[in-house]
Amino acid sequence: MPDMRSLLRAYSEGTAVQRLPRASRRGWANSVSIWVDRSGRLGPFWFDQDEVCERLRQTCGAGLSARKIHPWEEARAVERGGDLLVGGRPDPFTTVLVVGDLGAYARADGDDPDDQGPREARRAGPEGGGAEDPVAGAESRAWLRTLRRLRDAGAPVAVLFPGPRSRIPAGAARGWEVVPWEGARGPAGGATGDARERVERLLRLLSPATFVQHGLLRAIRKLLPANEVDAGTEADAWNHAAVLAADATGMVLHPRVAERWREELARDAQVHPATRRAAIEAIRHWREGVPRELVMGERAIWHAVSPGSVTAEELGEARAFHARLVATLQGGAESELTMAVRHYGRMLLWAMPAAAYQACPELGRLFVTSFERTDGVPEPEGVDLRALRAELGPGEEPTWWAVRQVGRRLVFSPSPAGGAWPSHESGPGSPVACLWAGRREISVRFEGGPSMQFILKPGLAISLPEGEWASVAADLSELTVRRWLREPWAMAAGRDRWGLWAEAEWNGAVQRFRWIPPGRFWMGSPEAERGRWPDEGPRHEVTISKGHWLGDTPVTQALWKAVMGENPSRFRSPDRPVEGVNWEDCRRFLARLNRMVEGLEARLPTEAEWEHGCRAGTSGMTWLGDFEIQGENDAPGLDGIAWYGGNSGGGYELEEGYDSSDWKERQYPHKKAGTRPVAMKAANPNGLFDLLGNVCEWCSDWWGGYQTDGVMDPKGLE
């Protein structure tokens, strides 16, 4: 047919036409075969592919045949290094239309599966001798081999590529017509800027949706400028590492990533408020016809991301809905209904932003009931889960749980000794504390990280990452573990079955100290306790708010002499406790001690600190419990832990000593008694020796009458 456009141009330019120009006339091929790539990576375009097939079927009628390339076919071609013709012979009289990405969106071999950015394909260049493209992935190479076979057989080939021209694999335009998706929208090469930023910008706007349909993905994409995202960004989003699941109905984002993106979207100043509102409106539109509980759950998210996008009435409906769910979970025995409600709560709350809990407090109660007895759950920020758990009641009879540090882990186990460590404990690691808990759920938080829920069970082990502190909170108690750096005065330090220790040295004399953690205890003795003195009451609760170091033995004569240059003791022996010193002597000793060792700052303990270290979490007559007193100097319950009048003369070897021949009711017969070397009897659960018996020990204050009310860090008269 004559080319009328060329004739008019020549006429307007005054050019003589020597020969009538002819133009090709386009028409529909008599025979067309459409190849549809149904790879999972092309999920956003499945409905578009179906629409292309349907429109061509209406146009071409019987001349159209369709073939769907399933993922297993592509995988088999890649595996054998072949093409997708599967040994068939191409028909040179049939036009082939490929509707697919030619493998452009497939993950390249060796790509890091944790890499969340898309893989960019190089722009198509000139044909280079038919060699395999070194940039293209295995899937692209299989498709290019297929196109070459079709071309060599003379079959006309066209490709409808779901993305911008810049994403077409190199070499794909060598002899074939490749038409990019949405060619008229945006820059010719597609969106500009970093591919990772493009796809995360899109996913961040999608994050308020707990479930993303294909149409919603496209609707949100079209909210953004064409130079920021393009059709290929849809594929990048669909194939992103943050997508937890995707199928023919839509996709779901990984909860932890979705939560982070929701928080970022809410505070991102670069996202215009109108864009946030438009995204919420698009999600709201695509929620028509979906189950009501999905909308009720998302309303709190929408409000957190874009305040004002949800009306007060809608938010009130969401609160009432979730209050009913909590009542359902608390209302009776486990059933199919409660299981469904619990599942809903877990799916919804795994990635709920903190602001959503503030807008809808019922979500906090739903969290507690939904994740009951569930391990390793990230807990919401700003929600007092301890208070919410307390509302539900203790759950079980409160029990003590022993917490040990074994290497870089905290290990939990039931404590048969109550809130104290038995002095004979010899398990792995070293004690940290005892936790008093009525419910099995505990909150664990590390510095710089989210709070996580764990379930107390024998052998529970929680790894300690790098950081300054870790907090473990049960419903009835809380434990904070802080990183310890060696004290400037410590020449050696470590952990053993009693806990943390450190040693200092003065002129060759070594003293070991034990770390006594803060805690709460009952000071004084019950009125009915045997052997009680009248001034040991009234019994009252005392809180020691700060941990401190305490010498694990009384000051020995060797240490006193190393510091003071003399030994005032009567019962002379370097490893025996110093005696014959008054309170002022002790003050002078400590002053000189601190001058000798920089940073030591040693002092006498208060009476409350001494009793706290001595009791070590127990409340009986001794840390081993109550015992029977059989006589004035006969208390077998003391024999293993203390030197006292009934046993201090047994095997006594010094020439100097007390005449004990007339002591009444002795546990063992002896004629001479005195002080004994330190640390010969068993230590208490804090690793302290000779707190009972051997010698009296000075405190920084003196008794002036106990209070009946609880006190914190008490100091008596000085």
Side-chain angles (χ1 to χ4, degrees), residues 33-35 67 69 77 82-86 90-91 94-104 127 132 139-161 168-179:
S33 177
I34 180 169
W35 290 16
R67 175 192 175 189
I69 309 295
D83 55 46
L84 292 160
L85 287 171
V86 197
D91 182 358
T94 299
T95 299
V96 176
L97 172 63
V98 175
V99 182
D101 68 335
L102 304 180
E127 188 169 4
E132 294 284 5
E139 293 83 357
S140 291
R141 292 195 293 271
W143 275 101
L144 293 177
R145 282 191 290 267
T146 304
L147 296 182
R148 289 192 189 99
R149 281 195 62 190
L150 290 169
R151 180 194 59 187
D152 294 345
V157 179
V159 179
L160 180 57
F161 182 82
I168 297 173
R174 300 169 184 173
W176 310 285
E177 184 179 5
V178 181
V179 180

Side-chain angles (χ1 to χ4, degrees), residues 389-403:
R389 288 167 183 152
E391 291 181 10
L392 301 177
E396 298 179 2
E397 186 70 23
T399 55
W400 285 101
W401 289 80
V403 186

Side-chain angles (χ1 to χ4, degrees), residues 623-634:
W623 53 82
L624 293 181
D626 296 340
F627 57 86
E628 184 179 357
I629 300 176
Q630 299 179 358
E632 185 176 335
N633 290 291
D634 189 4

Side-chain angles (χ1 to χ4, degrees), residues 651-671:
Y652 185 78
E653 79 282 10
L654 292 183
E655 183 177 345
E656 179 64 36
Y658 291 112
D659 181 2
S660 60
S661 58
D662 61 346
W663 290 3
K664 298 178 181 179
E665 302 174 322
R666 289 164 292 177
Q667 182 180 359
Y668 300 107
H670 52 79
K671 296 182 179 180

Side-chain angles (χ1 to χ4, degrees), residues 263-276:
E263 299 281 4
E264 292 176 358
L265 180 61
R267 62 175 184 267
D268 190 353
Q270 295 183 358
V271 179
H272 196 279
T275 303
R276 271 193 290 263

Side-chain angles (χ1 to χ4, degrees), residues 55-76:
R55 291 194 179 186
L56 284 176
R57 183 175 288 107
Q58 294 174 4
T59 301
C60 298
L64 176 71
S65 63
R67 175 192 175 189
K68 290 187 177 181
I69 309 295
H70 296 285
W72 63 266
E73 295 180 82
E74 184 181 72
R76 190 171 66 177

Side-chain angles (χ1 to χ4, degrees), residues 25-366:
R25 189 178 76 176
R26 290 181 175 270
W28 293 103
N30 294 325
S31 178
V32 178
S33 177
I34 180 169
W35 290 16
V36 181
D37 186 352
R38 296 301 268 194
S39 300
R41 63 180 180 269
L42 297 178
F45 310 110
W46 288 343
F47 291 106
D48 302 295
Q49 292 174 340
D50 293 341
E51 185 175 358
V52 168
C53 290
E54 180 59 29
R55 291 194 179 186
L56 284 176
R57 183 175 288 107
Q58 294 174 4
T59 301
C60 298
L64 176 71
S65 63
R67 175 192 175 189
K68 290 187 177 181
I69 309 295
H70 296 285
W72 63 266
E73 295 180 82
E74 184 181 72
R76 190 171 66 177
V78 168
E79 182 180 358
R80 68 169 188 263
D83 55 46
L84 292 160
L85 287 171
V86 197
R89 297 179 63 182
D91 182 358
F93 301 104
T94 299
T95 299
V96 176
L97 172 63
V98 175
V99 182
D101 68 335
L102 304 180
Y105 299 135
R107 185 173 295 276
D109 296 338
D111 278 359
D112 182 0
D114 295 327
D115 179 17
Q116 297 184 351
R119 182 172 64 90
E120 293 279 23
R122 190 177 62 185
R123 186 183 298 274
E127 188 169 4
E132 294 284 5
D133 177 17
V135 174
E139 293 83 357
S140 291
R141 292 195 293 271
W143 275 101
L144 293 177
R145 282 191 290 267
T146 304
L147 296 182
R148 289 192 189 99
R149 281 195 62 190
L150 290 169
R151 180 194 59 187
D152 294 345
V157 179
V159 179
L160 180 57
F161 182 82
R165 188 171 298 279
S166 61
R167 302 293 293 272
I168 297 173
R174 300 169 184 173
W176 310 285
E177 184 179 5
V178 181
V179 180
W181 206 278
E182 292 186 345
R185 184 178 189 265
T192 59
D194 182 77
R196 183 189 298 270
E197 293 179 1
R198 294 201 305 264
V199 67
E200 291 195 1
R201 187 180 301 117
L202 174 59
L203 288 170
R204 198 174 289 114
L205 280 177
L206 286 163
S207 63
T210 55
F211 173 70
V212 180
Q213 301 103 314
H214 298 83
L216 176 58
L217 171 60
R218 181 153 303 163
I220 298 293
R221 194 257 294 183
K222 289 191 174 182
L223 288 177
L224 296 171
N227 63 340
E228 292 185 5
V229 292
D230 52 41
T233 313
E234 289 185 35
D236 293 337
W238 186 265
N239 298 304
H240 200 278
V243 174
L244 183 65
D247 58 22
T249 60
M251 70 181 190
V252 176
L253 296 175
H254 192 284
R256 302 310 303 157
V257 182
E259 180 185 17
R260 172 169 58 85
W261 281 337
R262 289 165 185 171
E263 299 281 4
E264 292 176 358
L265 180 61
R267 62 175 184 267
D268 190 353
Q270 295 183 358
V271 179
H272 196 279
T275 303
R276 271 193 290 263
R277 287 194 297 271
I280 299 300
E281 287 305 312
I283 297 171
R284 188 194 297 272
H285 171 75
W286 280 89
R287 289 300 175 256
E288 296 179 3
V290 303
R292 183 166 177 264
E293 58 268 22
L294 182 62
V295 179
M296 291 294 113
E298 283 187 353
R299 280 180 180 175
I301 302 175
W302 301 346
H303 177 82
V305 169
S306 179
S309 60
V310 179
T311 66
E313 182 181 0
E314 290 175 328
L315 201 57
E317 289 179 358
R319 294 186 60 178
F321 175 81
H322 291 106
R324 291 194 295 272
L325 295 186
V326 173
T328 300
L329 292 177
Q330 295 177 308
E334 191 76 3
S335 64
E336 289 188 7
L337 176 59
T338 58
M339 291 173 62
V341 172
R342 208 179 302 277
H343 178 75
Y344 164 81
R346 291 174 178 177
M347 294 298 101
L348 172 68
L349 300 176
W350 194 268
M352 188 68 67
Y357 288 91
Q358 300 170 9
C360 186
E362 289 74 17
L363 294 177
R365 296 179 178 84
L366 183 61

Side-chain angles (χ1 to χ4, degrees), residues 386 390 394 396-399 435-439 441 473-478 520:
R386 292 182 68 184
E396 298 179 2
E397 186 70 23
T399 55
L435 203 64
W436 181 238
R439 297 184 64 85
E441 294 85 0
D475 58 331
L476 302 177
S477 60
E478 186 171 357
R520 186 180 295 115

